Amino acid sequence: MSSKRALRATMTTLVRALTPEQREASSARTRETLLAHPNLRARGLVLLYLADDREPSVDALVGELLERGQRIALPRMDWDARMIVPVEIATPALVTEVRRHGIREPIEGPVAGFDEIGCVVVPGVAFDARGGRLGRGAGFYDRFLARLSPSARTIGVGFACQGVERVPTEEHDRMLDEVLLDGRSIIR
């Protein structure tokens, strides 16, 4: 078993052991930190994600950020190309669908240009203080992040139990600019 596969299995067990109350408390701290984060306030289009039960929920940020005039996009998956397509959202009244793997995706909205994205909030399976991130293994975010402007900022978010000493990385893995676990930064 590869070190990445073993780490994914360990992290899945740890996250599943969290109670609903622990997940919500961590999610609330993460949302509060992100709402005040300068990279979300000072950047153009912000790409968020729609959480499942393995990730801190940042869903409520869509409405809150739209209310303050922030441009928001959400990922829609191009399953054949294994790419994230950034779909701009104009209203917090989201209409979503689940096509594969339990991932909620926006049904409609204009596709945003990669050069418009100033900040990406990235979920993951495990994170380290260097900005290392372990995803679910399909490479969607790695390919997406590689296409962004070098000036775009990336913020990984996870539960406290998802922090590890060192995430195994490969040449194609992009390091994150910041990691928030339980709403607190663990980077440098």
Side-chain angles (χ1 to χ4, degrees), residues 1-14 125-127 134 162 164 166-168:
M1 183 184 289
S2 76
S3 60
K4 285 186 174 184
R5 185 177 296 167
L7 183 54
R8 282 188 189 97
T10 299
M11 293 294 105
T12 298
T13 299
L14 291 173
V125 174
F127 302 91
L134 179 66
Q162 292 176 289
V164 296
R166 191 162 188 96
V167 169

Coordinates of all heavy atoms in Angstrom, one line a residue, residues 1-14 125-127 134 162 164 166-168:
M1 N 0.9 -1.2 0.0 CA 0.0 0.0 0.0 C 0.9 1.2 0.0 O 1.8 1.3 0.8 CB -0.9 0.0 1.2 CG -1.9 1.1 1.3 SD -2.9 1.2 2.8 CE -4.0 -0.1 2.6
S2 N 0.6 2.2 -0.9 CA 1.4 3.4 -0.9 C 1.2 4.2 0.3 O 0.2 4.1 1.0 CB 1.0 4.2 -2.2 OG -0.2 4.9 -2.0
S3 N 2.2 5.1 0.6 CA 2.1 6.0 1.7 C 0.9 6.9 1.6 O 0.3 7.2 2.6 CB 3.4 6.8 1.9 OG 3.7 7.6 0.8
K4 N 0.6 7.4 0.4 CA -0.6 8.2 0.2 C -1.9 7.5 0.5 O -2.8 8.0 1.2 CB -0.6 8.8 -1.2 CG 0.4 9.9 -1.4 CD 0.1 10.5 -2.8 CE 1.0 11.8 -3.0 NZ 0.7 12.4 -4.3
R5 N -1.9 6.3 0.0 CA -3.2 5.5 0.3 C -3.3 5.2 1.8 O -4.4 5.3 2.3 CB -3.1 4.2 -0.5 CG -4.4 3.3 -0.4 CD -4.3 2.1 -1.3 NE -4.2 2.5 -2.7 CZ -3.9 1.7 -3.6 NH1 -3.7 0.4 -3.4 NH2 -3.9 2.1 -4.9
A6 N -2.2 4.8 2.4 CA -2.3 4.6 3.9 C -2.7 5.8 4.6 O -3.5 5.7 5.6 CB -0.9 4.1 4.4
L7 N -2.2 7.0 4.3 CA -2.5 8.2 4.9 C -4.0 8.5 4.7 O -4.7 9.0 5.6 CB -1.6 9.3 4.5 CG -1.8 10.7 5.2 CD1 -1.7 10.6 6.7 CD2 -0.8 11.7 4.6
R8 N -4.5 8.3 3.5 CA -5.9 8.6 3.2 C -6.8 7.7 4.1 O -7.8 8.2 4.6 CB -6.2 8.3 1.7 CG -5.8 9.4 0.8 CD -6.3 9.2 -0.6 NE -5.7 10.1 -1.5 CZ -4.7 9.9 -2.2 NH1 -4.1 8.7 -2.3 NH2 -4.2 10.9 -3.0
A9 N -6.4 6.5 4.3 CA -7.2 5.5 5.1 C -7.2 6.0 6.6 O -8.2 6.0 7.2 CB -6.6 4.1 5.0
T10 N -6.0 6.4 7.1 CA -5.9 6.9 8.4 C -6.8 8.1 8.6 O -7.5 8.2 9.6 CB -4.5 7.2 8.8 OG1 -3.7 6.0 8.7 CG2 -4.3 7.7 10.2
M11 N -6.7 9.1 7.7 CA -7.4 10.3 7.8 C -8.9 10.1 7.7 O -9.7 10.7 8.5 CB -7.0 11.3 6.8 CG -5.5 11.8 6.9 SD -5.3 12.8 8.4 CE -4.4 11.7 9.5
T12 N -9.3 9.2 6.9 CA -10.8 8.9 6.7 C -11.3 8.4 8.1 O -12.4 8.8 8.5 CB -11.0 7.9 5.6 OG1 -10.6 8.5 4.4 CG2 -12.4 7.5 5.5
T13 N -10.6 7.5 8.7 CA -11.0 7.0 10.0 C -11.1 8.1 11.1 O -12.1 8.2 11.8 CB -10.0 5.9 10.5 OG1 -10.0 4.8 9.5 CG2 -10.4 5.3 11.9
L14 N -10.1 9.0 11.1 CA -10.1 10.1 12.1 C -11.3 11.0 11.8 O -11.9 11.4 12.8 CB -8.8 10.8 12.0 CG -7.5 10.1 12.5 CD1 -6.3 10.9 12.3 CD2 -7.7 9.7 14.0
V125 N -7.6 15.9 2.3 CA -7.6 14.8 3.2 C -6.6 14.9 4.4 O -6.9 14.6 5.5 CB -7.3 13.5 2.4 CG1 -7.2 12.3 3.4 CG2 -8.4 13.2 1.4
A126 N -5.5 15.5 4.0 CA -4.4 15.8 5.0 C -3.6 17.0 4.6 O -3.5 17.3 3.4 CB -3.5 14.6 5.2
F127 N -3.0 17.7 5.6 CA -2.3 18.9 5.3 C -1.1 18.9 6.3 O -1.1 18.4 7.3 CB -3.1 20.2 5.7 CG -4.4 20.2 4.9 CD1 -5.6 19.7 5.4 CD2 -4.4 20.9 3.6 CE1 -6.8 19.8 4.7 CE2 -5.6 21.0 2.9 CZ -6.8 20.4 3.4
L134 N -2.8 16.6 0.7 CA -3.2 15.3 0.2 C -4.7 15.3 -0.2 O -5.5 15.6 0.7 CB -2.9 14.1 1.1 CG -3.3 12.7 0.6 CD1 -2.3 12.3 -0.5 CD2 -3.1 11.7 1.8
Q162 N -6.7 16.5 10.7 CA -6.2 16.3 9.4 C -4.8 16.9 9.2 O -4.2 16.8 8.1 CB -7.1 16.9 8.3 CG -8.4 16.1 8.2 CD -9.4 16.7 7.3 OE1 -9.9 17.8 7.5 NE2 -9.5 16.1 6.1
V164 N -0.8 16.7 9.7 CA 0.2 15.7 9.8 C 1.6 16.4 9.7 O 1.7 17.5 9.3 CB 0.1 14.6 8.7 CG1 -1.2 13.8 8.9 CG2 0.2 15.2 7.3
R166 N 4.1 15.5 7.8 CA 4.6 15.7 6.4 C 3.7 14.9 5.5 O 3.5 13.7 5.6 CB 6.0 15.3 6.3 CG 6.6 15.7 5.0 CD 8.1 15.6 5.0 NE 8.7 16.2 3.9 CZ 9.2 17.4 3.8 NH1 9.1 18.2 4.8 NH2 9.8 17.8 2.7
V167 N 3.1 15.7 4.6 CA 2.3 15.0 3.5 C 3.2 14.5 2.4 O 4.1 15.3 2.0 CB 1.2 16.0 2.9 CG1 0.6 15.5 1.7 CG2 0.2 16.4 3.9
P168 N 3.1 13.3 2.0 CA 3.9 12.8 0.9 C 3.5 13.6 -0.4 O 2.3 13.7 -0.7 CB 3.6 11.3 0.7 CG 2.4 11.1 1.6 CD 2.2 12.2 2.5

